[in-house]
Amino acid sequence: MVTYILAGLLIFHGLVHILGFLIFFEITEVDTLQYSTKVLGGRIDIGKIGIRILGIIWLLIMIVMIVSGVGLLLGTSWWFTLALWSTAASTLVTILG
């Protein structure tokens, strides 16, 4: 049961990262998440290309986090490593903002 809950959380968390990709590629708008080329609380402007690269990173984190959740469900030995790295990367891109 705990396995299913943890896998569900990993997959859900991964799916939430699609918002970063969609917003940074100006595909959608969300009231609480506005498009901007500035990171670190508006301190540094990384430009349109930089923000697109950050959007791709959000997309990659989404994929890795979902794969780690599926790996957990399948009983693989590598799911924890992916979950650990994707969670660390998720924290970093969230701080960047």
Side-chain angles (χ1 to χ4, degrees), residues 17 20-26 35-37 39 46-61 93 96:
H17 276 275
F21 172 77
L22 294 174
I23 290 168
F24 292 150
F25 272 76
E26 299 179 89
Y35 172 83
S36 174
T37 59
V39 295
I46 60 173
K48 193 166 187 130
I49 293 173
I51 210 69
R52 294 273 169 109
I53 292 169
L54 191 57
I56 291 169
I57 292 170
W58 278 74
L59 184 65
L60 292 173
I61 292 169
V93 295
L96 279 175

Side-chain angles (χ1 to χ4, degrees), residues 7 10 17 24 48 54 59 69 73 76-77 80 82 88-89 93 95:
L10 285 168
H17 276 275
F24 292 150
K48 193 166 187 130
L54 191 57
L59 184 65
L73 289 173
T76 64
S77 61
F80 184 76
L82 285 183
V93 295
I95 290 170

Side-chain angles (χ1 to χ4, degrees), residues 19-94:
L19 287 174
F21 172 77
L22 294 174
I23 290 168
F24 292 150
F25 272 76
E26 299 179 89
I27 296 170
T28 191
E29 293 181 10
V30 178
D31 291 337
T32 56
L33 301 170
Q34 300 294 323
Y35 172 83
S36 174
T37 59
K38 295 182 178 181
V39 295
L40 295 173
R43 291 183 185 96
I44 300 173
D45 190 340
I46 60 173
K48 193 166 187 130
I49 293 173
I51 210 69
R52 294 273 169 109
I53 292 169
L54 191 57
I56 291 169
I57 292 170
W58 278 74
L59 184 65
L60 292 173
I61 292 169
M62 179 196 80
I63 293 166
V64 173
M65 202 161 276
I66 291 171
V67 169
S68 71
V70 172
L72 173 58
L73 289 173
L74 297 175
T76 64
S77 61
W78 45 260
W79 77 268
F80 184 76
T81 302
L82 285 183
L84 187 65
W85 282 104
S86 62
T87 301
S90 172
T91 302
L92 289 175
V93 295
T94 302

